[in-house]
Amino acid sequence: MFQKIILWDIYEIHTTKTSINGVMFRGRIRKFCLKNKRNVLVENAEDITGIVRFSIPHKENSSEIEKYLHTLAPDISIKLIREKIPNPILSKLKVNIESRYTLSKKL
């Protein structure tokens, strides 16, 4: 039996000076959430350079994660960019627009 689909809220992480790509940033977020028993998805953005996105289940409080991220990079800004997205793709947001796709068998 399948579980109910989780709806996710997507956050975008920007910095003004600190590099967050190629420095184990995503892994640290993942480990922090594992330690705190939180569900999280984390990906580098492919549609915008130097951006990392994370997602947590809809309506969960992001303040602990945000507080932790500020300890890693004081120049960080975090913005909620999408809400209630089922099975999100974080690297390219346009992939989450369901009307773009059909379920045909041929590619």
Side-chain angles (χ1 to χ4, degrees):
M1 177 175 280
F2 296 111
Q3 294 183 8
K4 184 177 176 184
I5 290 180
I6 300 169
L7 299 177
W8 298 82
D9 292 342
I10 302 173
Y11 294 80
E12 202 163 73
I13 304 168
H14 302 263
T15 59
T16 54
K17 296 177 185 172
T18 307
S19 176
I20 56 175
N21 297 114
V23 294
M24 295 196 260
F25 188 72
R26 293 172 297 150
R28 292 170 201 241
I29 296 169
R30 180 179 178 271
K31 186 165 185 171
F32 175 82
C33 289
L34 285 171
K35 181 179 176 187
N36 289 281
K37 299 185 182 348
R38 300 282 308 265
N39 288 305
V40 70
L41 303 172
V42 188
E43 293 181 30
N44 288 328
E46 291 183 15
D47 51 356
I48 304 173
T49 304
I51 301 296
V52 171
R53 294 186 181 116
F54 75 92
S55 189
I56 56 176
H58 179 58
K59 290 197 175 185
E60 281 194 8
N61 189 328
S62 65
S63 62
E64 286 180 5
I65 298 168
E66 292 184 36
K67 184 177 177 181
Y68 171 69
L69 294 175
H70 282 285
T71 69
L72 297 177
D75 61 328
I76 210 164
S77 64
I78 303 155
K79 181 179 177 184
L80 175 64
I81 57 168
R82 300 281 191 283
E83 294 183 84
K84 296 173 75 173
I85 306 296
N87 298 335
I89 303 296
L90 304 180
S91 60
K92 291 185 181 180
L93 294 178
K94 69 181 183 180
V95 178
N96 296 306
I97 302 169
E98 293 174 42
S99 62
R100 295 182 70 219
Y101 305 97
T102 63
L103 295 178
S104 69
K105 293 181 181 182
K106 295 182 181 182
L107 294 179

